[in-house]
mmCIF file of all heavy atoms in Angstrom:
data_model
loop_
_atom_site.group_PDB
_atom_site.id
_atom_site.type_symbol
_atom_site.label_atom_id
_atom_site.label_comp_id
_atom_site.label_asym_id
_atom_site.label_seq_id
_atom_site.Cartn_x
_atom_site.Cartn_y
_atom_site.Cartn_z
ATOM 1 N N ASN S 15 12.688 -12.473 -4.593
ATOM 2 C CA ASN S 15 11.365 -11.792 -4.485
ATOM 3 C C ASN S 15 11.483 -10.262 -4.566
ATOM 4 O O ASN S 15 10.464 -9.623 -4.635
ATOM 5 C CB ASN S 15 10.647 -12.148 -3.192
ATOM 6 C CG ASN S 15 10.416 -13.609 -3.001
ATOM 7 O OD1 ASN S 15 10.007 -14.316 -3.915
ATOM 8 N ND2 ASN S 15 10.708 -14.072 -1.804
ATOM 9 N N ILE S 16 12.651 -9.693 -4.425
ATOM 10 C CA ILE S 16 12.803 -8.227 -4.366
ATOM 11 C C ILE S 16 13.146 -7.733 -5.729
ATOM 12 O O ILE S 16 14.263 -7.940 -6.220
ATOM 13 C CB ILE S 16 13.868 -7.854 -3.322
ATOM 14 C CG1 ILE S 16 13.611 -8.461 -1.976
ATOM 15 C CG2 ILE S 16 13.971 -6.324 -3.227
ATOM 16 C CD1 ILE S 16 12.340 -8.032 -1.289
ATOM 17 N N GLY S 17 12.196 -7.038 -6.356
ATOM 18 C CA GLY S 17 12.407 -6.449 -7.659
ATOM 19 C C GLY S 17 13.112 -5.126 -7.578
ATOM 20 O O GLY S 17 13.486 -4.625 -6.469
ATOM 21 N N PRO S 18 13.370 -4.491 -8.737
ATOM 22 C CA PRO S 18 14.114 -3.229 -8.720
ATOM 23 C C PRO S 18 13.450 -2.098 -7.921
ATOM 24 O O PRO S 18 14.140 -1.360 -7.253
ATOM 25 C CB PRO S 18 14.190 -2.849 -10.204
ATOM 26 C CG PRO S 18 13.527 -3.928 -10.969
ATOM 27 C CD PRO S 18 12.992 -4.946 -10.027
ATOM 28 N N LYS S 19 12.156 -1.986 -8.029
ATOM 29 C CA LYS S 19 11.478 -0.906 -7.280
ATOM 30 C C LYS S 19 11.544 -1.106 -5.787
ATOM 31 O O LYS S 19 11.847 -0.220 -5.041
ATOM 32 C CB LYS S 19 10.017 -0.789 -7.784
ATOM 33 C CG LYS S 19 9.265 0.380 -7.173
ATOM 34 C CD LYS S 19 7.881 0.412 -7.781
ATOM 35 C CE LYS S 19 7.119 1.692 -7.357
ATOM 36 N NZ LYS S 19 5.828 1.770 -8.058
ATOM 37 N N SER S 20 11.255 -2.334 -5.362
ATOM 38 C CA SER S 20 11.311 -2.664 -3.944
ATOM 39 C C SER S 20 12.755 -2.534 -3.429
ATOM 40 O O SER S 20 12.977 -2.011 -2.323
ATOM 41 C CB SER S 20 10.826 -4.099 -3.706
ATOM 42 O OG SER S 20 9.483 -4.216 -4.072
ATOM 43 N N ALA S 21 13.711 -2.939 -4.230
ATOM 44 C CA ALA S 21 15.152 -2.825 -3.810
ATOM 45 C C ALA S 21 15.526 -1.343 -3.644
ATOM 46 O O ALA S 21 16.208 -0.979 -2.705
ATOM 47 C CB ALA S 21 16.057 -3.488 -4.856
ATOM 48 N N ALA S 22 15.002 -0.508 -4.532
ATOM 49 C CA ALA S 22 15.302 0.934 -4.448
ATOM 50 C C ALA S 22 14.680 1.499 -3.160
ATOM 51 O O ALA S 22 15.311 2.293 -2.459
ATOM 52 C CB ALA S 22 14.760 1.668 -5.685
ATOM 53 N N TRP S 23 13.465 1.124 -2.856
ATOM 54 C CA TRP S 23 12.807 1.603 -1.647
ATOM 55 C C TRP S 23 13.616 1.184 -0.422
ATOM 56 O O TRP S 23 13.838 1.978 0.514
ATOM 57 C CB TRP S 23 11.385 1.043 -1.524
ATOM 58 C CG TRP S 23 10.366 1.643 -2.417
ATOM 59 C CD1 TRP S 23 10.490 2.727 -3.249
ATOM 60 C CD2 TRP S 23 9.044 1.197 -2.602
ATOM 61 N NE1 TRP S 23 9.342 2.988 -3.904
ATOM 62 C CE2 TRP S 23 8.431 2.047 -3.538
ATOM 63 C CE3 TRP S 23 8.305 0.165 -2.093
ATOM 64 C CZ2 TRP S 23 7.093 1.899 -3.947
ATOM 65 C CZ3 TRP S 23 6.974 -0.021 -2.460
ATOM 66 C CH2 TRP S 23 6.386 0.847 -3.405
ATOM 67 N N LEU S 24 14.003 -0.110 -0.401
ATOM 68 C CA LEU S 24 14.718 -0.592 0.758
ATOM 69 C C LEU S 24 16.095 0.103 0.922
ATOM 70 O O LEU S 24 16.503 0.442 2.027
ATOM 71 C CB LEU S 24 14.908 -2.117 0.647
ATOM 72 C CG LEU S 24 13.602 -2.916 0.761
ATOM 73 C CD1 LEU S 24 13.853 -4.371 0.333
ATOM 74 C CD2 LEU S 24 13.082 -2.849 2.230
ATOM 75 N N ARG S 25 16.789 0.320 -0.231
ATOM 76 C CA ARG S 25 18.082 1.071 -0.165
ATOM 77 C C ARG S 25 17.849 2.464 0.412
ATOM 78 O O ARG S 25 18.632 2.952 1.198
ATOM 79 C CB ARG S 25 18.691 1.149 -1.542
ATOM 80 C CG ARG S 25 19.463 -0.073 -1.972
ATOM 81 C CD ARG S 25 20.299 0.162 -3.217
ATOM 82 N NE ARG S 25 19.571 0.773 -4.316
ATOM 83 C CZ ARG S 25 18.926 0.096 -5.236
ATOM 84 N NH1 ARG S 25 18.847 -1.223 -5.169
ATOM 85 N NH2 ARG S 25 18.282 0.731 -6.217
ATOM 86 N N GLN S 26 16.766 3.120 0.001
ATOM 87 C CA GLN S 26 16.535 4.490 0.424
ATOM 88 C C GLN S 26 16.226 4.572 1.922
ATOM 89 O O GLN S 26 16.344 5.662 2.505
ATOM 90 C CB GLN S 26 15.409 5.110 -0.386
ATOM 91 C CG GLN S 26 15.835 5.393 -1.842
ATOM 92 C CD GLN S 26 14.787 6.085 -2.640
ATOM 93 O OE1 GLN S 26 14.109 6.949 -2.154
ATOM 94 N NE2 GLN S 26 14.661 5.698 -3.872
ATOM 95 N N VAL S 27 15.795 3.490 2.517
ATOM 96 C CA VAL S 27 15.547 3.502 3.981
ATOM 97 C C VAL S 27 16.661 2.816 4.726
ATOM 98 O O VAL S 27 16.530 2.512 5.907
ATOM 99 C CB VAL S 27 14.151 2.864 4.322
ATOM 100 C CG1 VAL S 27 13.036 3.650 3.702
ATOM 101 C CG2 VAL S 27 14.083 1.402 3.959
ATOM 102 N N GLY S 28 17.812 2.618 4.069
ATOM 103 C CA GLY S 28 19.028 2.130 4.755
ATOM 104 C C GLY S 28 19.162 0.641 4.845
ATOM 105 O O GLY S 28 19.999 0.156 5.547
ATOM 106 N N LEU S 29 18.335 -0.077 4.111
ATOM 107 C CA LEU S 29 18.433 -1.547 4.106
ATOM 108 C C LEU S 29 19.047 -2.007 2.789
ATOM 109 O O LEU S 29 18.371 -2.178 1.774
ATOM 110 C CB LEU S 29 17.028 -2.181 4.325
ATOM 111 C CG LEU S 29 16.335 -1.755 5.637
ATOM 112 C CD1 LEU S 29 14.902 -2.198 5.650
ATOM 113 C CD2 LEU S 29 17.094 -2.279 6.851
ATOM 114 N N ARG S 30 20.352 -2.159 2.814
ATOM 115 C CA ARG S 30 21.093 -2.447 1.590
ATOM 116 C C ARG S 30 21.507 -3.907 1.433
ATOM 117 O O ARG S 30 21.788 -4.318 0.308
ATOM 118 C CB ARG S 30 22.315 -1.525 1.531
ATOM 119 C CG ARG S 30 21.940 -0.093 1.337
ATOM 120 C CD ARG S 30 23.141 0.823 1.343
ATOM 121 N NE ARG S 30 22.831 2.164 0.866
ATOM 122 C CZ ARG S 30 22.139 3.051 1.551
ATOM 123 N NH1 ARG S 30 21.747 2.765 2.770
ATOM 124 N NH2 ARG S 30 21.912 4.246 1.084
ATOM 125 N N THR S 31 21.588 -4.636 2.477
ATOM 126 C CA THR S 31 22.032 -6.027 2.395
ATOM 127 C C THR S 31 21.032 -6.959 3.059
ATOM 128 O O THR S 31 20.152 -6.500 3.789
ATOM 129 C CB THR S 31 23.393 -6.209 3.123
ATOM 130 O OG1 THR S 31 23.214 -5.931 4.502
ATOM 131 C CG2 THR S 31 24.477 -5.252 2.548
ATOM 132 N N ARG S 32 21.225 -8.242 2.829
ATOM 133 C CA ARG S 32 20.374 -9.253 3.475
ATOM 134 C C ARG S 32 20.514 -9.125 4.991
ATOM 135 O O ARG S 32 19.541 -9.294 5.740
ATOM 136 C CB ARG S 32 20.722 -10.624 3.000
ATOM 137 C CG ARG S 32 19.809 -11.689 3.544
ATOM 138 C CD ARG S 32 20.198 -13.083 3.063
ATOM 139 N NE ARG S 32 19.105 -14.033 3.269
ATOM 140 C CZ ARG S 32 18.667 -14.425 4.429
ATOM 141 N NH1 ARG S 32 19.168 -13.930 5.516
ATOM 142 N NH2 ARG S 32 17.671 -15.303 4.528
#
Side-chain angles (χ1 to χ4, degrees):
N15 305 313
I16 307 295
K19 186 175 186 176
S20 298
W23 286 353
L24 292 168
R25 278 193 309 273
Q26 289 183 40
V27 297
L29 301 170
R30 292 178 167 74
T31 64
R32 186 182 195 293

